[in-house]
Amino acid sequence: MDIISRAEWGARPPESRSTVPWSQRTVFMGHYSAASATQTPRQIQDYHMRVKGWSDIGYNFLINSVTGLLYEGRGWNVLGAHCAGHNTEAIGVCIIGKDQAGKQDVSDAARRAFKWLYEEANDRKGKRLQLLGHRDRGNTSCPGDEIYAWLHAGLPIVGGSTPAPSKPPAGSKPAPGTPIAFPLPAGWYFGPASGPAYSVSGLHDRYFRSHTDRYWLQQWGTQLGRRGWSIGKGKTWLGDAGNDGIYGPEYRALAIAFQADQHLTQDGLIGKNTWDVAYHNPVR
Ligand SMILES: [Zn+2]
């Protein structure tokens, strides 16, 4: 993958710079600009230098959320200005664009570029860097909920021309297992604990049809496993916590991937439709 150099995008020279050795880099941090994807690196640089008074564009790298084009900011070894108090250890990468819930603002091309850059950083470091979003170290909503969840799910790439290895193979088979009816009341879903009462997370042992919410969410995870998805601790999906029945970024990433695979609305929430399809649609 090509990195568009500062010279190529017409960067102004930095007013000053200091370098950071790889030994001090431990974090790869995602940001977003929360503005139009038509914004250019030069416009962002002008804003950072003229309005904010910084010595250069704040980020180490930038990626356009639509085109996936990758731009050099300060580069690998220059101290950035993207997360107060954490610029030494963290390489800051800004996704240029918005991240609105359910809108798929960040394209697969942009996600691939981000992941490629992350692997490149790991290679240069010789060790895996910790993946964080800006909000993990600052009081901000950056980099948006979807990108934040994606970072913490380990950057799974779904859809597009390179299918994830966990996808079921081509050739259609009936849905495996015995269908289980959606256990929640109409209009409810499995979703984040921070959501409304009808967003059921598995965290609070709420009972539905004489089983806990947690039990039910595990049933859905198990069904995806029957459908050929690589599910569980150390696997492609739910790799950190396993199929523990507690809704978080990992279930969300899995739900989005499954919804994409089944051409459903990709909201990452497990409602009746996303539930039923797992038990009734053929495995492709
Ligand atoms: Zn940020």
Side-chain angles (χ1 to χ4, degrees):
M1 203 166 279
D2 285 332
I3 298 178
I4 298 169
S5 70
R6 295 174 66 93
E8 286 171 298
W9 61 261
R12 298 162 73 188
E15 279 165 9
S16 64
R17 66 202 285 273
S18 51
T19 57
V20 180
W22 274 106
S23 60
Q24 291 186 42
R25 297 293 204 192
T26 55
V27 170
F28 193 86
M29 182 177 281
H31 297 265
Y32 75 151
S33 64
S36 169
T38 59
Q39 214 180 12
T40 64
R42 177 59 194 248
Q43 286 169 330
I44 294 171
Q45 186 191 35
D46 286 347
Y47 175 70
H48 286 176
M49 294 179 79
R50 290 182 184 156
V51 180
K52 299 216 165 199
W54 298 346
S55 60
D56 193 356
I57 192 167
Y59 307 108
N60 297 93
F61 293 93
L62 303 94
I63 294 167
N64 184 284
S65 63
V66 176
T67 62
L69 289 174
L70 174 52
Y71 300 92
E72 179 185 25
R74 296 195 188 191
W76 294 117
N77 293 113
V78 176
L79 184 73
H82 58 89
C83 181
H86 299 278
N87 291 303
T88 300
E89 72 267 26
I91 294 166
V93 181
C94 179
I95 294 177
I96 304 172
K98 296 179 180 170
D99 179 31
Q100 306 159 94
K103 291 253 175 100
Q104 298 286 300
D105 295 299
V106 182
S107 68
D108 280 344
R111 289 169 195 253
R112 284 203 184 84
F114 191 99
K115 188 170 182 143
W116 179 86
L117 192 68
Y118 175 56
E119 294 304 338
E120 181 70 22
N122 291 333
D123 286 350
R124 286 170 185 251
K125 165 86 180 174
K127 207 173 158 187
R128 296 193 77 74
L129 296 161
Q130 188 183 12
L131 266 175
L132 292 178
H134 188 182
R135 69 172 72 164
D136 288 315
R137 293 288 182 269
N139 181 20
T140 171
S141 61
C142 179
D145 291 344
E146 301 209 347
I147 286 303
Y148 183 75
W150 181 65
L151 290 170
H152 282 278
L155 313 180
I157 303 285
V158 301
S161 54
T162 314
S166 61
K167 289 272 181 66
S172 204
K173 280 185 247 148
T178 307
I180 298 176
F182 185 60
L184 304 179
W188 292 40
Y189 52 75
F190 294 95
S194 59
Y198 49 86
S199 178
V200 176
S201 65
L203 253 185
H204 306 300
D205 279 336
R206 298 163 76 186
Y207 275 76
F208 300 91
R209 290 191 357 223
S210 71
H211 288 288
T212 62
D213 44 2
R214 205 173 157 179
Y215 166 87
W216 289 121
L217 185 51
Q218 286 174 321
Q219 299 307 304
W220 183 81
T222 299
Q223 176 64 9
L224 260 64
R226 288 190 195 104
R227 294 180 65 93
W229 292 68
S230 168
I231 305 272
K233 259 197 182 134
K235 306 272 185 71
T236 308
W237 302 98
L238 312 179
D240 285 341
N243 186 20
D244 63 357
I246 295 181
Y247 185 95
E250 291 197 304
Y251 275 100
R252 181 180 160 76
L254 173 60
I256 289 173
F258 179 65
Q259 289 165 339
D261 185 61
Q262 296 295 317
H263 307 291
L264 306 174
T265 304
Q266 291 160 46
D267 59 7
L269 306 170
I270 302 156
K272 184 176 189 314
N273 204 17
T274 301
W275 179 280
D276 285 346
V277 157
Y279 289 99
H280 297 288
N281 274 17
V283 178
R284 282 179 286 106

